[in-house]
Amino acid sequence: MATLDTIEKVVTFLIMLSVLVVLHELGHFIMARRNGVRVIEFAVGMGPKLAAWKSKRSGTVYSLRAFPIGGYCMMHGEDSKVSEAEQQREFRSEPQTERTHDSDNFQSKTPWNRLAIIVAGPVANFIIAYFILLFGALAFGIENPNALQPVVADVVARSPAAVNGLRVGDRIVAVNGTQVGQGLQIVNVVHGLLNKTVTVDYVRNGVRYEFDARAVRCGSLNEQITGKEGNMGCIGFELFPAFERVGVGTAFQVSAQEYANVASNVFGSYSMLVTHFKTYSRQVTGVIGMGQAAATIESFGPAPYLALAATISFALGVLNLLPIPALDGGRGAFVIAELIRRKPVDPEREGMVHLAGFAVLIALMIVIAVHDVSRIASGQGVF
């Protein structure tokens, strides 16, 4: 049962990530068409072709691929294996008559047009992030600070709950043999059991567990808790907020605030990684780590999962703007260089940039993957 639950979480995450990538490619597609560039193929998924349909009007092939992971937008003039600057040089070397009849070629467009098409993908991710948040607010509501879900949102290190193996994402179903359905009910029961044994039943990945812990004074676990609350019983966990339905106006307002928070957190994370690399490099995560986080957050409900999707979408947009080969930012960097120099980058310099960029990118991907796998293997994961 746990295995089936794990597979379901992995598939859900891959579908979510694939949708974000396809919408990213859709941004390229829309801007390419608006600028008169012919799109040869727009694919959903990767690998062998399962089905395809060719538009009689535009000639674009819309295909569905075997592996539902991402997709791509193949444009006329961008379908070869050479780099951005090399493709532009090759196009310029063609006779003027051939270039004139090839007006729907990506390389025939001005540098500004090409740059707009390139950055349209990341911009689409930024726009999508807001609408994901808005959809979540309209469909599932916003956080209600006065209500809690029976789902663990945090566990205090070395607390009775942590010692007994309680983890983020676990759903508490009973306390001292009494079934519980609301988070506040759990909190009130535990608070009233200072210095007494608390029996907690919880579910993780479809499997039910139980442990006994002695409730200690809340103030001994959190120095910020003082006064009356400090003399209540606690075992060291926090619960996730519940959500309440709101009107359209409030949903727009809250979504805008959440969007600002997402942008601030993403840019702040990238900034701290650059300025304090040694401290924050251990927190960097890749697809494996994102999948782990998604599996945990899925237990919180659809609204938090959509918030995670919005954060990933925004982060993908920022990542793709970095001037790294194979990413949109790397392609855009060569176009910007062309704008400044008024001609494509020299082959020798372009080759050096690509070699160094690819070496850094591959090394970073390997390090992040090893870090994610090591962390999960050490028991910090949820799979």
Side-chain angles (χ1 to χ4, degrees):
M1 188 173 183
T3 302
L4 292 176
D5 187 70
T6 298
I7 293 174
E8 178 188 353
K9 290 179 177 180
V10 171
V11 171
T12 301
F13 169 71
L14 290 178
I15 292 175
M16 179 260 283
L17 192 62
S18 183
V19 169
L20 294 179
V21 173
V22 169
L23 292 174
H24 170 100
E25 296 300 326
L26 184 61
H28 292 309
F29 175 84
I30 293 174
M31 189 58 68
R33 293 292 299 272
R34 288 183 63 86
N35 283 276
V37 175
R38 177 162 58 90
V39 177
I40 297 175
E41 181 179 359
F42 185 85
V44 175
M46 305 294 286
K49 187 184 298 182
L50 296 179
W53 170 76
K54 185 174 183 178
S55 171
K56 295 181 179 179
R57 180 180 178 183
S58 64
T60 300
V61 174
Y62 300 91
S63 65
L64 179 64
R65 301 280 169 164
F67 306 114
I69 304 175
Y72 58 86
C73 175
M74 182 186 295
M75 293 175 282
H76 178 39
E78 283 288 287
D79 52 340
S80 62
K81 302 298 183 181
V82 294
S83 65
E84 192 71 36
E86 180 63 28
Q87 290 178 100
Q88 181 62 202
R89 285 194 299 271
E90 288 182 359
F91 181 80
R92 290 190 179 191
S93 66
E94 295 178 357
Q96 182 65 40
T97 53
E98 292 186 17
R99 283 189 276 168
T100 302
H101 289 89
D102 206 14
S103 60
D104 59 358
N105 191 313
F106 175 83
Q107 304 301 335
S108 71
K109 305 305 174 182
T110 68
W112 287 111
N113 292 138
R114 283 182 276 130
L115 188 61
I117 295 171
I118 289 171
V119 302
V123 170
N125 281 127
F126 297 145
I127 296 173
I128 292 161
Y130 173 75
F131 281 101
I132 290 175
L133 293 172
L134 179 61
F135 174 77
L138 290 171
F140 306 106
I142 64 174
E143 286 189 13
N144 180 358
N146 299 316
L148 299 171
Q149 298 183 55
V151 180
V152 179
D154 190 24
V155 179
V156 179
R158 295 180 295 278
S159 66
V163 171
N164 283 280
L166 194 67
R167 295 181 187 174
V168 173
D170 291 341
R171 178 174 292 272
I172 297 176
V173 294
V175 177
N176 281 0
T178 302
Q179 299 295 314
V180 291
Q182 297 181 353
L184 286 178
Q185 182 183 1
I186 299 172
V187 172
N188 291 333
V189 170
V190 176
H191 278 177
L193 295 174
L194 177 61
N195 295 324
K196 296 180 181 179
T197 299
V198 182
T199 300
V200 178
D201 289 72
Y202 64 92
V203 174
R204 178 190 300 157
N205 294 333
V207 180
R208 184 163 177 151
Y209 300 89
E210 178 184 300
F211 69 84
D212 294 327
R214 186 178 182 83
V216 299
R217 187 170 58 85
C218 294
S220 66
L221 296 176
N222 189 341
E223 59 183 13
Q224 296 179 354
I225 297 178
T226 57
K228 181 180 179 181
E229 288 185 348
N231 292 319
M232 293 179 177
C234 286
I235 61 174
F237 65 85
E238 295 181 4
L239 299 178
F240 203 81
F243 289 76
E244 62 178 359
R245 302 297 292 270
V246 295
V248 175
T250 301
F252 271 95
Q253 180 181 356
V254 172
S255 298
Q257 294 173 348
E258 288 298 315
Y259 186 80
N261 292 336
V262 167
S264 176
N265 291 336
V266 171
F267 283 120
S269 298
Y270 279 114
S271 175
M272 295 302 291
L273 182 61
V274 172
T275 58
H276 300 80
F277 180 80
K278 186 175 181 180
T279 301
Y280 288 91
S281 60
R282 296 181 180 180
Q283 300 179 19
V284 175
T285 188
V287 175
I288 298 174
M290 285 191 293
Q292 178 198 12
T296 301
I297 293 177
E298 186 179 350
S299 303
F300 299 162
Y305 200 80
L306 287 172
L308 173 67
T311 301
I312 292 177
S313 181
F314 196 96
L316 283 175
V318 175
L319 178 64
N320 269 280
L321 287 177
L322 297 179
I324 300 175
L327 299 181
D328 293 328
R331 298 174 59 199
F334 284 113
V335 176
I336 292 173
E338 180 186 340
L339 276 167
I340 296 172
R341 303 174 72 249
R342 297 185 178 181
K343 61 180 180 179
V345 177
D346 297 331
E348 295 78 10
R349 295 180 181 178
E350 182 185 5
M352 292 176 60
V353 171
H354 274 287
L355 181 61
F358 273 116
V360 172
L361 183 61
I362 296 300
L364 184 61
M365 290 174 63
I366 293 174
V367 169
I368 292 175
V370 171
H371 168 69
D372 286 344
V373 172
S374 299
R375 182 160 52 84
I376 293 173
S378 65
Q380 301 179 48
V382 294
F383 293 149

